[in-house]
Structure formats: C-alpha cells, structure tokens
Amino acid sequence: MNSPRFTHLDWKAVLLFLACATLGFAAEPGTAPKKGRGKAKAANTASAEAGAGAEKPVFPNRPTEVGPEVGENKATPISRIKTLEGFKVELLYSVPGKTQGSWVNLCVDPKGRILASDQYGGLYRFTPPAPGQSLTAAQVEKVPAKIRAVNGMAFAFGALYVGVNDYDQEIPSGLYRITDSDGDDQLDKVELLRAIEARGDHGIHAVVPTPDGKGLYLVCGNGSKTTKFAPTSPVPAIWGEDHLLPRMPDGRGFMRDVMAPGGIVYRVTPDGQTFEVFSSGYRNIFDAAVNRDGELFTYDADMEYDFNTSWYRPTRICHVVSGSEYGWRNGAGKRPVFYADNLPPVIDIGPGSPTGVTFGYGAKFPAKYQNALFILDWSWGKLHAVHLEPNGATYKATREEFLSGSPLPLTDAVIHPDGAMYFAIGGRRVQSGVYRVTYVGNEPTNPAGGVPSPREQPGEGTRPTAERTRRQQLEAFHGKQDPTAVTVAWPHLASDDRFVRWAARTAIEHQPAAAWRERALNEKNPAIRVEALLALARAGGVCATHRKPETPPVDAKLGAELITALEQTPWEKLDPSRRLGLLRTIEIALHRFEPVGSTRGGPASARAADDTEVVPPGRNMTWPDDVRRRLLAKLDPLFPAPTRDFNWLLCETLVYLKSPTVAAKAMKLIADAPTQEEQIEYARSLRMLDTGWTLQLRTAYFEWFLKAANYRGGASFSKFIEFIRNDAVASLSETEKQALAAVLERKPERKTAIENLSYAFAGRPFTNWNLDELAAAGAGGMKGRSFENGRKMFGAAACFACHRFGNEGGMTGPDLTAAGGRYSVRDFLDQVLNPSKEINEQFVPTVVTKNDGSTITGTIVNLNGNYIVINEDPSDPNQRATVDRTEVKGIEPSKVSPMPPMLLARMTRDEILDLAAFVLSGGNPQAEWFRK
C-alpha cells in the first residue's frame, strides 16, 4: 500500500518519530512532470550549464491518441464533482477520443450552437440538448474548415477568429479568420492573418473582442515569439531583464533562452494587419475576459518548478491595463510584486494550471455569480468564482471554489444564451467531456444588469472611480507622442494609486526623453522624483541583455546624472512604497548605465546557459569608485531593514557595490530567518560577493548549504541550490578554498520536513494539549503576544512547508494569510489539533484504488493521456506517483487530512498563543495582539 507520509500515522507514532528525529527538511526533489494547458510547460553561473541535461520522463510515453474508456479512464462522473448548494452539474457528453480527440476550447456561435476544438485536431459543433437530456455522437458535427489545434475562439465582425497553437506544426501557429464562403451555414473558408512562431503549451491562445468593438485581443504565452508590432503599442519597447546580479536560468533548462517581454496580450485590428503590444510580462496566459466596465482580466500561470523559492509566484488574476507589465522573467529572474517596474496582481490564487476564463454575465444564476469571474484550473480540477470589487484605479477580489472534481482537467467554460454554464474537460489527450451547470436553488436569478454577452460588448458596468477615470485619461497618451502628455501626466506620478502612477509614467515614457530629462533630474517633489527617475532610467538606458550591435553606446553622462539624482533623493521624505521604488530604480540605473568596459556576458559557462548574462559583480564592475562610495554611504546604514522586501533590494545592491559589511549582516539575516525562501534570497545575493568575508562567516555560509540541501521545493529547487553553491565556490580564491576544504567536502545528511520539528524543540517534553484548555488561555491571554516568536513558531512547526503565508511558504495546503477573517482563536486551534475533523475542500486528498487492491493517497496534480500524477506528500512537491487510469477501479476523497497531528506537542502554551496571534493577524506586527 502506498500512502503519503504521516497521513495515516496515529499520534503515538508521530511522537515516537519526533523523539528519534534530528535536523533537516526534505529529501532531494525528484522529477516533476510538466503540466499541460496553462503550465509547462553566472561569472560565476558556472552551475548554469549543469542544468541543461535531459529531464527524466514522468509519463511512460507521450500519448499519440486518447486512450480507451477502460476503468477510471473516463470523463469524470457527476458523483465525483462537488459544487455549491443550489447548483446542478450534468455530464452531457463523453467525447469519443478515437474520433473527436480531446477538447480544449468552447465558443457559442450567433445561432446558439457551441463549437468545440480538439487540441490536436479540428472543430466540432453541437446544439445544447434539452434539460435532462445528453448528447450523442450523431448530434456532434464536424466543422468542415481545414483548421486544427485551435486554442482560442471568438465570433466577431461576421467571422470566427481563432488562435492556433499547433504542437505538431502541421500548420502555422497564429491568428486565423474562418468564414462561411457560400452561405450554407458551414464554416469552410480559412485565412491565416498572422503566423506567429510558437512552441509547446505556451503559445498562441485566446481571442477576445475588445470592449470598444473595434478590434481583438490575442492572448499569447511566453513560448510564442514576439511578432512585428506597431509603434502605436501601449507598451513602450524599452523592456529588459534588468537584473543587477546575474540571474540563474531554470535549473532544468526550461525556457532558458526566452527573454522579455514574455507572454503578451496583443490588440489587433479585425483585418489582422496591425498588432499592438497592449500588455506584457506574463508566463502562460491562456484566456482573458472583459468585464462590464470594459476592463480586461487574465489568469496567469505559476512556475511549479520554483515552488518554495523566494522568486516563486502563484497563479494569479491580473488586471490587463494599457501598457502594463507583470514581471515574468526566465529562471530566478521573476520580479516580485514590490518591484516598481511591474504591477501587482488583483489576487493570488495558488498552485495550478490556468485555462479558461469567463464572466458569468447572462447566466441564470444568483446575482453574485452572474457578476463573478470564473477561472478554470486544469491540473487541480478547480473552477473558482472570483468576486471583483473596484479599488481605486484597479480592483480587489475574493475567491471561492465554485466546483471541483478529482480528476477534473478543466479546459474552458462559456455562458450560453439559455442561462447555463457549459464547461469542458480534456487536453493533453486526456479523456474529454462536456458538462452543464444550472441553478436549481431558491435565490432569484433576475438579470443583475448589463448586456448578457460575455464575449461581446461589456454592457453597463459599475460606477467608475475617480482613480479609474484618471487612469483611463492617462492611457489615452499611450502609444503616441503628444506635446501635452508630459504636462498632463507629470503631477500624477505622485499619485498614491499604483495603477495611476503606472499609467502616468507610461505616458511619459512614450514621449522623447530629451523633452523631459532635465525636469526629471531636477524635480523637487520626492514622490514625483522617484517615479520620473524610474522612467528616465528605463527610457534613457538599454538593458545589457537586450543590447544589439546597432544599439547606441551607453549614455555615460545621463548615467552619472541619474546616479547623482537618485543619491540626493531624500529618503526620509518618502513613504515605504516610494522607498522601494527608489531602491529598484538605483538597481536599474546601475545596470543599464554601467560604463563601457564591463565583461558583458561573463564567463563562457554563464554564456552557455542563455548567452545573455551581465557583468559579474564584485570583480570587474566598472562604475567609478566615487560612485560606489557615495551609494554605500547612502545604502549601507539602511541594511538590514525591518522588512524582507527592503532587505531583498538592499542585499543585492550592496553585494553589487562590494559593501564590506553586507556579508556579516546578511549572514545574520539568514540565521534569523524562519523561512527557507528568505534564507535563499540572501544566499543567492551573497554568492557573488568576494569582499568582507571572514573565515567564520564563510564557514557559516557553506554550512548553510548543508542545511538547504534538505529544503523542499519544485522540480528545479535542488538545482537552484546547487547553482548558488557553485557560484559561491567560484568566487573563492585558491587560498580560501584550502582554508574551507573541510566544510566544502562535507556531504549533507538527508532528512525530512517533519524531522526538523525535533531540531527546533530538542529536549522538550511532549504535551497532549486539550482544545478547551488552550482556548480558555487564548480567551484571556492574547494581549502582549510576541510577533517574532509567533513567526518563529510558524517556521519551527513546519507550517511553511505546506502553507502559503504572505509571499512565503508551500502551496500544497490552504493559504493562511487571511485565516484571521475565517477563524476565531478557538477555531484555529481546533483545526491544528484535529486536522481531520474538517478538511479544507480545496486540499482534500484523493484515494486511488488500483485493480490489484493497492491504494495511493494524495493530490492529483497532473494528467497526460491515460495517466494521472499524484503528489503523495504535501510537504514535498516532488514525491509523486504516476498511475495508468485504465488500471484503476476507484477514485474517492480521503477522510484523513495530510496534515500530521501533534504539531503543537512540544510547544509551550505561550508559544502556541504567539503562533495563533501571528497567523490570525495576517502577519501584521502592528496588530492589537502584539501591543505591549
């Protein structure tokens, strides 16, 4: 019997285990599969070359056709799909895979028929059956148009526009238009409007009509090559990698050659002749939808290989505004949300494989769900309802699970004129099916307002906020040179609304820099000054990675002026957001304006990885020494700072500047940080440092790698740790290597995440805590709690191994950031003490029973043809089993939580209450519970 670690252990077994355990976290990660449909799919980066090896296959063979409907290899039965009270799900059609393939996209035509596309084949059409009825194969007709591999569809301008992403390269990928050539109600004429080079799952995807009725949005993942675009593009073509320290490409080689701008949303004219880059910086967006306010939203993918690194970013909803950039970069180069040169998401969703997106407009659902943004997750089998609310120039959101199943590889959903939602499962030649969702409850389903046409005009929306109106006014300057743009936009660089600031800065970046250069350098308002200097650093300089032979030389005069202006910006007059912006702008200016003479590209080993890397800092940085001294005088006293965000920027900048104090300060931060993400970030920067070290500090640094070898993460995690260490070793002199020989030769001892509990609580007795006793203590003892100790306990109890909290932690358990809005102190403690009493619906394990009687318990995280992949241990994303569904006789939810019991057994009462206060405060050190 195969079961997840610790899932079925009773508390006595856990106590025995903890009593024997010592230091450590995880075994070295194994191989993780590429996900489908919305997923993947240094001097001194000497290690980068090591990651270029071939991946160990997870699936026995890549399927060439949909497998037979044998055993559990079938469309998910209704009995295994859970939805909200009052909603009904019907399985209408189990798609015959041999003849009709695996469906990934749906679209409603003007006559109310539904079109469906086979990921590796053609188009099909059917009329939805009457309530209570199902479809037969005879009722599904093949569309005669000679088209294949359609990943996105929209009827507009009298035609069907499709995005083709042909994995088999039988026809060009790109944007096509399909029409009825002779009026016989058959789509038969196919026109290629624009071929776009693409590869794998990250290519050409959705087509969405623009809200003004004049064009189309084309949604493309980062596997599509940037096509020729018009100079009127809202995104200014000044993008870059902008890494102050050499980045590390993906440890397994994935997308290592793909640079900015990454995934793009294009705005396209109906004839397909004019493409504008409307928004960029995405990983793998598959679909998008326009709300009644005329605003576009998309659901972007995470990089599951990055789990539990500092640069991991969950799947997320992004507000696709004019000229926006969302910060995807290759490998470890992804921009965190606090970088001023990218925008934050509306809401993080968590791990998954984003696919279809649609608003509920026109559905005969309660008003809350008519207005919801429905997003589909292929790998985890979740359909979420995201509830948006205007928030300044953008939106904020909450989400709830609308329906789920296991497995339920969701691909697309549409709202039909009959008021029902139709969704499909399929993709990657998985057995496909079509389902219908209707509301049969007692709440009213009267139209909530607006035109019920989710793929056409947005209709009547919410009352616009002043910030949204201002943002839209500024966006009118995007993609054009206008003599009034700088004057109009300049005051709004000081806006407290980040999206307004972005729109204003983008408007200015589209104007000739010579027209506003001096104004930026001499601006007296500190808030405006920071944003204006960011614009000047971007518009006046070129990222070293993107330099070409024809690129003008570095403007040394402007670079020197920028550094002086940034240095003289008064720190004390800036709020935290602008301070972060100032630090990030210093990084960009140092990178883009580094004087000629740098060894661009670094050693051959780094160039072999992606042929793009920048100067190895610390040895041949070419900024004059007086610049270095001046910046160190400004920045060194600020480090360490109270927050991780500031320390991220300060640490890497001070390493670049060869600070003599950064090694000691950063090593203390590593020692004190309760999460592996925070430790990894400082270690990543320190790898490039060759000054300020003592033998004791160096020894502590390399001993950290022995500990980090047991940390757990995604499939590239261990490679990233290896890369960091290799780079650190490469920075040593021969004398240093000899002095450190003993620690360099030591091998890590492999241990598990739960074993780390005994290290943190070594020598302590066990207490079988009683809920009533702890709840009573909490009722009268939550004042004056310790924030730092609560955060320490969260790490010591291995909570970060599975749970996301803020921007740290694992992804295989519920996100606890907003737990304070859901739980009282008693409820929270009850969840920890009795984890199987009520299991979070999103993370209920699945028990798979094979024909031979053996079982595997865990979470289904991937599918491919007949095969499913199950994560067996939530604390280790790489402990996975691959199962052939034709050999499975049953799949059912587990009644046992994967969360181990007795996690609080060796904490004191005060430590438990500190932990509860930390979690329920949302990690806010200013919360009332922490006031003395």
Side-chain angles (χ1 to χ4, degrees):
M1 175 176 176
N2 298 315
S3 59
R5 273 181 220 161
F6 310 114
T7 296
H8 298 297
L9 296 180
D10 64 25
W11 69 268
K12 292 181 180 179
V14 174
L15 296 184
L16 178 62
F17 173 80
L18 293 176
C20 301
T22 54
L23 169 67
F25 276 81
E28 182 176 342
T31 300
K34 293 180 180 179
K35 295 182 182 179
R37 294 271 311 141
K39 300 294 298 179
K41 300 181 210 145
N44 303 347
T45 6
S47 46
E49 184 72 3
E55 297 180 17
K56 177 182 176 182
V58 172
F59 301 108
N61 290 294
R62 195 73 165 175
T64 57
E65 62 181 15
V66 179
E69 290 193 54
V70 175
E72 280 293 327
N73 193 41
K74 60 187 178 183
T76 307
I78 299 303
S79 60
R80 290 217 304 272
I81 297 177
K82 184 175 182 178
T83 189
L84 299 177
E85 183 178 354
F87 289 90
K88 175 184 177 182
V89 181
E90 302 170 74
L91 172 58
L92 300 182
Y93 189 52
S94 186
V95 179
K98 291 282 187 182
T99 56
Q100 295 178 357
S102 188
W103 292 2
V104 296
N105 205 241
L106 302 176
C107 179
V108 180
D109 76 6
K111 295 186 177 181
R113 296 166 298 193
I114 295 178
L115 277 80
S117 63
D118 172 15
Q119 187 177 20
Y120 298 94
L123 296 177
Y124 299 87
R125 187 171 71 181
F126 62 89
T127 298
Q133 301 297 310
S134 59
L135 278 174
T136 66
Q139 294 171 308
V140 179
E141 57 179 312
K142 182 79 166 64
V143 174
K146 294 183 178 180
I147 196 74
R148 54 174 279 113
V150 170
N151 275 219
M153 296 185 280
F155 275 96
F157 311 108
L160 177 66
Y161 287 83
V162 302
V164 167
N165 193 55
D166 193 356
Y167 309 78
D168 298 329
Q169 299 183 336
E170 293 187 18
I171 65 173
S173 294
L175 179 65
Y176 288 75
R177 178 170 57 194
I178 305 174
T179 53
D180 177 359
S181 65
D182 55 10
D184 65 351
D185 195 31
Q186 293 292 330
L187 295 168
D188 57 357
K189 181 181 178 181
V190 178
E191 302 171 80
L192 173 60
L193 300 181
R194 175 73 66 94
I196 302 175
E197 185 180 346
R199 65 185 188 188
D201 293 326
H202 291 225
I204 315 304
H205 294 147
V207 182
V208 180
T210 58
D212 61 7
K214 297 179 180 179
L216 304 162
Y217 294 120
L218 180 65
V219 174
C220 299
N222 60 3
S224 57
K225 297 290 186 181
T226 305
T227 191
K228 181 181 178 181
F229 56 89
T232 54
S233 293
V235 175
I238 55 176
W239 46 70
E241 309 309 302
D242 291 318
H243 304 311
L244 187 57
L245 300 181
R247 71 165 179 83
M248 298 178 293
D250 178 68
R252 300 164 68 83
F254 188 73
M255 292 269 178
R256 65 172 49 225
D257 60 333
V258 178
M259 300 295 140
I264 292 174
V265 175
Y266 293 99
R267 186 168 59 193
V268 186
T269 53
D271 60 6
Q273 297 304 300
T274 302
F275 275 61
E276 295 175 335
V277 180
F278 186 76
S279 179
S280 68
Y282 300 98
R283 183 172 185 267
N284 192 24
I285 44 177
F286 185 79
D287 202 357
V290 176
N291 75 354
R292 287 186 172 129
D293 300 328
E295 303 286 340
L296 185 67
F297 297 85
T298 192
Y299 181 23
D300 198 12
D302 62 349
M303 174 51 162
E304 70 275 22
Y305 290 6
D306 294 344
F307 278 167
N308 292 34
T309 64
S310 53
W311 52 90
Y312 172 74
R313 308 192 312 176
T315 67
R316 53 212 215 139
I317 301 300
C318 296
H319 183 191
V320 187
V321 297
S322 172
S324 53
E325 152 75 70
Y326 277 95
W328 176 86
R329 296 297 185 268
N330 189 350
K334 299 169 188 68
R335 293 178 182 170
V337 295
F338 58 83
Y339 271 25
D341 49 335
N342 77 154
L343 285 170
V346 175
I347 185 174
D348 285 336
I349 301 300
S353 291
T355 50
V357 172
T358 189
F359 278 96
Y361 306 146
K364 292 180 180 178
F365 293 173
K368 176 181 179 181
Y369 299 100
Q370 293 180 46
N371 292 320
L373 174 64
F374 291 99
I375 59 172
L376 283 66
D377 174 359
W378 184 86
S379 59
W380 288 64
K382 313 289 184 184
L383 199 162
H384 301 282
V386 176
H387 306 290
L388 296 164
E389 180 183 342
N391 182 36
T394 183
Y395 296 77
K396 59 184 178 180
T398 58
R399 68 175 171 92
E400 65 176 319
E401 186 178 296
F402 182 72
L403 62 81
S404 63
S406 183
L408 193 69
L410 295 156
T411 55
D412 203 9
V414 294
I415 305 299
H416 191 270
D418 65 11
M421 172 191 284
Y422 293 80
F423 70 84
I425 64 171
R428 287 256 175 126
R429 295 193 167 98
V430 170
Q431 174 60 49
S432 199
V434 177
Y435 300 76
R436 177 165 54 199
V437 182
T438 52
Y439 183 70
V440 294
N442 298 321
E443 293 186 42
T445 59
N446 300 330
V451 180
S453 48
R455 295 282 183 172
E456 300 294 337
Q457 297 301 310
E460 179 184 350
T462 61
R463 177 177 297 178
T465 63
E467 293 89 349
R468 188 201 306 165
T469 300
R470 190 170 298 119
R471 190 203 84 222
Q472 292 169 342
Q473 291 167 345
L474 292 165
E475 288 171 350
F477 294 110
H478 293 181
K480 65 180 69 171
Q481 292 188 8
D482 187 309
T484 67
V486 173
T487 300
V488 172
W490 202 264
H492 299 297
L493 295 176
S495 173
D496 290 332
D497 189 297
R498 189 166 172 180
F499 279 70
V500 172
R501 292 204 305 271
W502 186 281
R505 177 167 52 79
T506 302
I508 291 168
E509 289 173 344
H510 278 290
Q511 313 312 310
W516 49 274
R517 167 175 172 164
E518 293 304 316
R519 185 172 182 178
L521 292 169
N522 296 290
E523 174 60 51
K524 301 303 182 185
N525 182 310
I528 293 178
R529 182 186 181 97
V530 169
E531 204 72 30
L533 293 177
L534 173 58
L536 189 57
R538 285 167 38 84
V542 177
C543 171
T545 305
H546 290 257
R547 284 193 164 275
K548 301 175 182 178
E550 64 272 19
T551 302
V554 173
D555 188 337
K557 182 175 183 295
L558 176 57
E561 292 173 338
L562 261 172
I563 294 298
T564 298
L566 289 163
E567 175 203 350
Q568 294 175 352
T569 301
W571 179 266
E572 67 280 0
K573 294 184 178 180
L574 300 173
D575 65 16
S577 174
R578 269 74 172 211
R579 288 178 177 180
L580 288 168
L582 176 63
L583 293 174
R584 178 57 181 156
T585 303
I586 290 172
E587 289 193 333
I588 295 171
L590 288 171
H591 172 72
R592 292 198 175 203
F593 292 91
E594 187 160 11
V596 176
S598 305
T599 309
R600 300 290 177 184
S605 59
R607 292 195 301 271
D610 59 25
D611 201 32
T612 62
E613 270 311 345
V614 297
V615 60
R619 280 162 291 284
N620 52 356
M621 180 188 67
T622 58
W623 281 99
D625 198 49
D626 74 299
V627 170
R628 172 180 167 272
R629 288 197 306 269
R630 283 159 36 207
L631 287 175
L632 283 177
K634 183 179 184 71
L635 301 180
D636 235 338
L638 303 176
F639 182 69
T643 69
R644 176 189 172 199
D645 296 353
F646 281 99
N647 285 330
W648 175 314
L649 288 164
L650 285 165
C651 187
E652 62 187 5
T653 304
L654 291 171
V655 166
Y656 176 87
L657 294 170
K658 301 170 61 175
S659 164
T661 68
V662 67
K665 292 177 179 179
M667 285 306 302
K668 186 175 189 311
L669 286 174
I670 288 176
D672 293 342
T675 71
Q676 65 184 53
E677 289 92 340
E678 188 173 356
Q679 295 172 29
I680 288 167
E681 184 51 41
Y682 305 137
R684 175 172 71 152
S685 291
L686 288 177
R687 83 192 202 278
M688 310 306 298
L689 184 67
D690 65 355
T691 188
W693 291 101
T694 65
L695 181 60
Q696 183 180 7
L697 286 172
R698 282 284 200 193
T699 301
Y701 183 50
F702 284 103
E703 285 178 341
W704 175 83
F705 288 102
L706 299 173
K707 178 180 178 181
N710 285 310
Y711 289 171
R712 301 187 184 201
S716 291
F717 185 88
S718 62
K719 274 296 181 184
F720 280 125
I721 297 297
E722 177 187 331
F723 287 0
I724 296 171
R725 187 181 187 279
N726 288 350
D727 291 347
V729 171
S731 72
L732 298 173
S733 66
E734 289 304 316
T735 300
E736 289 173 317
K737 289 179 181 177
Q738 291 176 12
L740 294 164
V743 69
L744 293 177
E745 291 171 2
R746 282 171 56 192
K747 302 298 181 185
E749 184 180 357
R750 303 294 180 184
K751 305 234 172 150
T752 67
I754 303 300
E755 284 176 294
N756 191 55
L757 281 168
S758 67
Y759 171 77
F761 304 115
R764 294 191 180 192
F766 291 93
T767 302
N768 189 13
W769 287 108
N770 176 274
L771 174 61
D772 291 335
E773 178 184 358
L774 288 178
M782 293 304 289
K783 297 288 187 181
R785 306 276 21 127
S786 169
F787 174 84
E788 290 302 326
N789 193 52
R791 188 167 189 262
K792 179 182 176 181
M793 290 301 104
F794 195 84
C799 303
F800 279 118
C802 301
H803 295 283
R804 199 74 176 166
F805 196 83
N807 292 320
E808 300 174 298
M811 303 301 300
T812 52
D815 187 325
L816 296 180
T817 308
R822 302 193 300 270
Y823 302 121
S824 66
V825 173
R826 182 186 179 89
D827 291 340
F828 171 73
L829 293 171
D830 191 12
Q831 291 281 328
V832 179
L833 292 172
N834 304 295
S836 295
K837 182 177 179 180
E838 183 179 350
I839 307 174
N840 184 289
E841 294 178 356
Q842 189 175 356
F843 297 94
V844 174
T846 296
V847 180
V848 175
T849 304
K850 301 177 70 174
N851 292 334
D852 63 5
S854 63
T855 63
I856 298 174
T857 302
T859 302
I860 296 175
V861 295
N862 206 350
L863 305 93
N864 198 36
N866 303 343
Y867 295 91
I868 55 176
V869 177
I870 302 168
N871 172 226
E872 299 180 274
D873 180 355
S875 69
D876 183 359
N878 291 294
Q879 186 176 319
R880 298 183 173 191
T882 301
V883 180
D884 186 340
R885 284 204 287 175
T886 64
E887 299 175 0
V888 172
K889 66 179 181 181
I891 299 177
E892 60 185 4
S894 172
K895 296 180 180 179
V896 179
S897 171
M899 179 174 168
M902 301 298 291
L903 286 176
L904 306 180
R906 290 204 281 184
M907 289 186 193
T908 66
R909 181 184 289 104
D910 280 335
E911 287 171 339
I912 293 171
L913 296 183
D914 287 343
L915 169 65
F918 171 73
V919 174
L920 298 179
S921 73
N924 176 16
Q926 306 303 317
E928 183 178 354
W929 283 334
F930 303 118
R931 295 173 187 169
K932 301 298 184 182

